[in-house]
Amino acid sequence: MTKDTILKVEHLSMKFGGLMAINDFSFEARRGEITALIGPNGAGKTTVFNCITGFYKPTMGMITLARRNGKELLLERLRDFEINKVGGVARTFQNIRLFSGLTVLENLLVAQHNALMKASGYTILGLLGLPAYRKAVDLSIEKAKYWLDKADLTDRADDPAGDLPYGAQRRLEIARAMCTGPELLCLDEPAAGLNPRESAALNTLLHSIRDEGVSILLIEHDMSVVMEISDHVVVLEYGQKISDGTPDHVKNDPKVIAAYLGVEDDEVDEVIAEELEGGRH
Amino acid sequence: MASASANQNLMGKALREGLFAGVIAFLMFLLFVGVETYQDINNALVWRTRWGLLAIFVVVAAVGRFVTVAFIKPHMDQRKLNKAKQGLLDVSDEKGFLRRHFLKFALVLLLVYPFLSLLIVGKQGSLKYVDNFGIQILIYVMLAWGLNIVVGLAGLLDLGYVAFYAVGAYSYALLSSHFGFSFWILLPLSGIFAALWGIMLGFPVLRLRGDYLAIVTLAFGEIIRLVLINWTDVTKGTFGIAGIPKATFFGIWSFDTGATNNFVKAWGLSASSIYYKIFLFYIILALCMLTAYVTIRLRRMPIGRAWEALREDEIACRSLGIDTVTTKLTAFATGAMFGGFAGAFFASRQGFVSPESFVFLESAVILAIVVLGGMGSLTGIAIAAAVMVGGTEILREMSFLKVVFGPDFTPELYRMLLFGLAMIIVMLFKPRGFVGSREPTAFLKERRAVSGSFTKEGHG
């Protein structure tokens, strides 16, 4: 594992009954970069995500996470909630999962559960209202305010999360994930259903998160978003990796073009042959 | 001219609907009001008809529907229309003075309630108002507040809550009669025992979700009751445990008539059991306040927020690093602990416990109170408890109904009907319970109640 790798997925396979959703898939995500996982519908992107974030136990394979402090963790051996608590991996969901009956601020405070639990002496000391706990609460509200500001939600802090418009809910979900203090942020189709303006706001948010040193792994459908913000792209089709590299490299990969445009396999060979010929000229 | 024909139309409609309601009432009540079974002199089960009573039920339903459609509904519509014309908003944030200070008034009223009843109806009359109404309602308030932590906050549907009530009551009964520990030692002990039982039951049970969790908790509630019935060596089975010592005034004064430090003698009062009842009233009031205080405090702690988050979305909780199993267990244990406190209090108040007090119906009543009050809302639940438990007590008082329904009429028997009726009315007009909104636990600028339409009920 090289020094700047944060996540290394090796020979990952996931079987649902007779269906091989992911077949021997390997890739690496580097620290401080935005890595995108793309592919056509049903390629297995979300399954990979669920394996990394502990919602599925992979049938085979190894998922190694390198923490900033030098520790290496095998994510497939951790329990689902430990991936966030111990591993520092936070995620969002394709179909937004906010605590809709809690306010926006409360959503961000719930995300700081583990830190606050420790500060409250697992509730017992907190019930007594010790100053150390009160300080921790103030800090947690400051942190929530910081992310509210970044996600442009400060005005709506006291509204129920379920009352926000769609784009704001997406941003809130990212802000909530960031409040857990992760090193790796996994986003499942963050731009789905956003209008161009909201999409642009999302890009700025993601860049500012990356600039804080948090690595991002994202699934995206929309090629234009991916090409604009990601540093590294991995392409998945039918559970297998078909391309891996910089956005420019991937964009011009005939296999990727074929996968997205839906050409037959023999035509792909033709395209490759043409490319090779073109290169010779 | 047009209004006259519209009026006629309305009357026709009201008549039709009234008749229809009468027919439905007839079919519905035919078997369980129109026919009565009883044991005759040879102990054989025979049946007789009660056409008169059935007729009263049918007439009440038909006339009620007629009046509603013909007069009440047009009147309400007119009022709404007038309001809309005046441009007044139907929902107004401005609350009246009484509503803003409702809780303070309620607390003061509760504090002076026993003395108020002493003043108005005297010592002998107060027994009923302090014991049957005051203490009985407050026990249910406490139980419902305890269950509220499990069902209303954490969203875990627990149909066997009465098990923890039973554990508390039997802990008190057994430990006090075998070891002679006092009430004030056993009260916390009973709570701790019940909480331990909550954790023990919770471990296997909380892997399940939704309907499955509900069924398994129901089964555990029954298991506890069956153990109490069949473990006769310890629990004396269906005979129950009698002669449970009364609570003492912190060991200073006793309420036993034979004791040397008897409270009544020490203060030179005339002998009456009302002093003990008033004392019990204040104990259960204090226990209720403790439950409310802990619930309010816990809601603002990370654990309480995690409970509510769990109710909203369990998967999101796990993605945020919240250990859902321990979080559910703490909710279960905390709820069980308050059930145990209430159980210990119940045992000392009755002086007698038997498995009959801990049937499934009790769980159902407590759950109904939580749902009617509005899940998660302490005020709503307290109101619901007062209405439901007080309502059944008031039914006992309604002997004047005998004039209408005949001398055999026993109003208490209809309390389940009252429950059903209250449920239907509340669900029709306030589908989220008396208090459907939730108070946020933290805020930046202003605390605004969250409408019930955003909160979820939880899926276990």
Side-chain angles (χ1 to χ4, degrees):
Chain A
M1 206 159 181
T2 49
K3 203 178 159 197
D4 59 346
T5 305
I6 180 161
L7 181 77
K8 191 170 172 186
V9 174
E10 291 163 288
H11 308 293
L12 183 73
S13 294
M14 183 77 205
K15 228 175 175 175
F16 293 109
L19 176 78
M20 204 70 168
I22 308 168
N23 194 358
D24 196 21
F25 175 62
S26 306
F27 80 99
E28 278 183 24
R30 279 187 291 278
R31 186 177 290 285
E33 281 192 356
I34 297 182
T35 307
L37 189 61
I38 65 168
N41 270 334
K45 297 168 304 224
T46 301
T47 310
V48 171
F49 246 53
N50 283 341
C51 287
I52 293 171
T53 53
F55 283 83
Y56 293 155
K57 286 274 162 271
T59 318
M60 254 188 284
M62 205 158 88
I63 307 168
T64 323
L65 181 90
R67 295 293 309 248
R68 206 171 278 146
N69 57 18
K71 263 192 206 154
E72 285 194 4
L73 298 163
L74 290 176
L75 291 188
E76 78 274 9
R77 293 195 185 161
L78 294 181
R79 284 159 67 199
D80 47 15
F81 74 91
E82 286 174 336
I83 298 219
N84 181 285
K85 192 179 174 179
V86 184
V89 178
R91 73 167 290 179
T92 65
F93 296 86
Q94 196 171 352
N95 45 341
I96 306 172
R97 284 184 175 276
L98 289 174
F99 305 124
S100 58
L102 309 189
T103 65
V104 170
L105 179 66
E106 284 178 305
N107 266 272
L108 299 185
L109 293 179
V110 169
Q112 303 175 48
H113 177 79
N114 288 320
L116 282 174
M117 269 309 252
K118 221 181 221 167
S120 72
Y122 298 91
T123 308
I124 297 155
L125 297 177
L127 271 181
L128 305 173
L130 295 187
Y133 171 64
R134 266 191 245 140
K135 208 172 143 197
V137 171
D138 290 343
L139 273 178
S140 73
I141 290 183
E142 283 309 313
K143 192 173 186 181
K145 268 189 188 160
Y146 176 76
W147 284 106
L148 279 173
D149 190 42
K150 282 234 165 188
D152 193 20
L153 290 166
T154 312
D155 294 341
R156 315 263 343 226
D158 298 326
D159 288 335
D163 203 16
L164 297 181
Y166 191 79
Q169 293 201 0
R170 282 250 176 248
R171 291 200 304 277
L172 174 58
E173 208 188 12
I174 294 171
R176 187 182 69 179
M178 287 311 296
C179 275
T180 64
E183 281 181 36
L184 177 67
L185 178 65
C186 301
L187 306 169
D188 197 344
E189 299 213 14
L194 299 189
N195 64 33
R197 225 182 65 204
E198 289 172 327
S199 210
L202 178 79
N203 288 354
T204 349
L205 178 63
L206 293 187
H207 275 135
S208 76
I209 289 173
R210 184 193 56 185
D211 295 343
E212 291 195 8
V214 176
S215 321
I216 296 175
L217 176 65
L218 65 92
I219 291 182
E220 196 44 78
H221 233 77
D222 189 344
M223 286 296 253
S224 61
V225 175
V226 172
M227 295 307 158
E228 201 178 313
I229 63 169
S230 45
D231 305 304
H232 172 201
V233 179
V234 180
V235 190
L236 197 64
E237 194 197 16
Y238 297 123
Q240 280 173 315
K241 186 163 85 175
I242 56 170
S243 187
D244 187 346
T246 61
D248 277 332
H249 168 83
V250 166
K251 198 156 43 178
N252 299 317
D253 190 331
K255 272 188 170 171
V256 177
I257 298 168
Y260 266 83
L261 296 176
V263 276
E264 300 290 328
D265 281 350
D266 45 336
E267 283 179 52
V268 175
D269 292 336
E270 275 173 36
V271 173
I272 292 173
E274 269 174 36
E275 281 248 324
L276 288 176
E277 260 176 45
R280 227 173 277 150
H281 277 296
Chain B
M1 204 48 206
S3 94
S5 100
N7 210 15
Q8 214 169 8
N9 225 342
L10 183 69
M11 283 298 149
K13 190 182 164 215
L15 258 177
R16 266 199 316 278
E17 293 216 355
L19 272 177
F20 190 59
V23 171
I24 288 183
F26 174 75
L27 292 176
M28 256 179 65
F29 293 119
L30 180 62
L31 285 181
F32 83 102
V33 176
V35 177
E36 185 191 27
T37 56
Y38 66 102
Q39 279 178 325
D40 67 2
I41 214 153
N42 303 320
N43 264 350
L45 194 67
V46 290
W47 60 285
R48 63 182 162 211
T49 51
R50 296 191 288 189
W51 297 125
L53 193 64
L54 180 63
I56 292 171
F57 271 80
V58 171
V59 168
V60 166
V63 171
R65 184 67 195 164
F66 174 77
V67 171
T68 314
V69 175
F71 303 109
I72 298 177
K73 204 157 170 289
H75 179 73
M76 300 273 272
D77 289 349
Q78 194 62 40
R79 248 184 42 184
K80 233 183 217 167
L81 196 67
N82 284 344
K83 257 191 191 166
K85 270 181 189 161
Q86 284 168 7
L88 288 175
L89 273 177
D90 211 17
V91 226
S92 153
D93 276 348
E94 212 47 47
K95 289 179 187 167
F97 176 76
L98 202 71
R99 279 194 64 186
R100 258 183 298 138
H101 297 278
F102 174 74
L103 288 181
K104 283 174 212 156
F105 282 124
L107 188 61
V108 170
L109 186 71
L110 276 173
L111 282 174
V112 298
Y113 174 77
F115 297 102
L116 219 59
S117 105
L118 267 183
L119 264 179
I120 297 171
V121 287
K123 270 188 204 159
Q124 210 47 43
S126 293
L127 275 179
K128 187 176 77 190
Y129 286 101
V130 174
D131 195 25
N132 291 2
F133 283 91
I135 296 177
Q136 186 74 2
I137 290 172
L138 285 178
I139 287 179
Y140 278 92
V141 168
M142 177 156 182
L143 285 170
W145 279 352
L147 183 62
N148 173 49
I149 293 174
V150 185
V151 179
L153 294 186
L156 306 165
L157 184 52
D158 180 359
L159 292 180
Y161 188 64
V162 81
F164 307 124
Y165 188 37
V167 168
Y170 269 85
S171 310
Y172 179 74
L174 290 173
L175 291 178
S176 68
S177 49
H178 283 287
F179 302 104
F181 290 148
S182 87
F183 177 78
W184 295 105
I185 294 171
L186 287 177
L187 185 69
L189 264 185
S190 303
I192 290 166
F193 278 139
L196 284 178
W197 268 103
I199 291 170
M200 274 168 63
L201 297 188
F203 254 116
V205 164
L206 290 176
R207 292 168 187 280
L208 304 169
R209 303 186 58 198
D211 308 349
Y212 304 99
L213 176 76
I215 290 170
V216 173
T217 50
L218 179 120
F220 266 115
E222 286 301 288
I223 286 172
I224 295 252
R225 191 174 62 90
L226 291 174
V227 167
L228 292 180
I229 289 178
N230 291 305
W231 197 9
T232 41
D233 297 343
V234 177
T235 65
K236 296 191 187 142
T238 43
F239 292 114
I241 300 169
I244 300 168
K246 287 178 175 173
T248 60
F249 197 94
F250 305 103
I252 305 170
W253 293 297
S254 157
F255 288 95
D256 288 326
T257 35
T260 45
N261 56 347
N262 184 287
F263 178 83
V264 179
K265 279 182 208 153
W267 288 82
L269 300 161
S270 61
S272 166
S273 58
I274 186 67
Y275 303 111
Y276 183 53
K277 299 294 179 199
I278 291 177
F279 175 63
L280 284 180
F281 179 87
Y282 283 115
I283 293 180
I284 188 70
L285 187 61
L287 283 173
C288 281
M289 291 301 122
L290 177 79
T291 315
Y293 177 76
V294 171
T295 309
I296 291 167
R297 279 308 291 262
L298 282 181
R299 267 195 75 207
R300 293 184 193 153
M301 305 280 298
I303 187 72
R305 285 204 198 101
W307 290 340
E308 290 202 83
L310 202 63
R311 177 192 69 204
E312 298 288 320
D313 196 322
E314 189 179 336
I315 288 175
C317 276
R318 277 188 264 161
S319 83
L320 296 174
I322 296 173
D323 184 349
T324 50
V325 176
T326 32
T327 308
K328 284 179 179 181
L329 270 181
T330 49
F332 223 60
T334 315
M337 184 180 74
F338 289 119
F341 285 154
F345 175 83
F346 173 79
S348 80
R349 172 217 183 194
Q350 300 290 89
F352 170 74
V353 288
S354 83
E356 255 172 65
S357 310
F358 309 107
V359 290
F360 169 66
L361 189 65
E362 290 297 311
S363 292
V365 167
I366 301 164
L367 186 65
I369 290 171
V370 174
V371 173
L372 283 177
M375 300 212 289
S377 155
L378 295 181
T379 320
I381 289 169
I383 295 171
V387 170
M388 300 303 278
V389 183
T392 55
E393 290 299 321
I394 286 175
L395 272 184
R396 280 186 225 281
E397 309 294 312
M398 296 214 172
S399 43
F400 65 86
L401 284 176
K402 285 186 178 163
V403 180
V404 186
F405 293 102
D408 293 339
F409 186 76
T410 34
E412 302 93 283
L413 294 182
Y414 291 84
R415 75 189 186 109
M416 283 301 124
L417 215 58
L418 181 97
F419 262 56
L421 201 67
M423 277 285 209
I424 291 170
I425 290 172
V426 171
M427 291 300 126
L428 271 180
F429 295 101
K430 290 231 156 202
R432 292 262 161 183
F434 289 143
V435 180
S437 56
R438 84 172 263 283
E439 284 286 308
T441 59
F443 61 97
L444 277 190
K445 288 185 206 77
E446 57 167 332
R447 191 186 293 276
R448 278 195 299 262
V450 175
S451 150
S453 51
F454 294 114
T455 52
K456 300 204 173 78
E457 295 89 7
H459 298 282

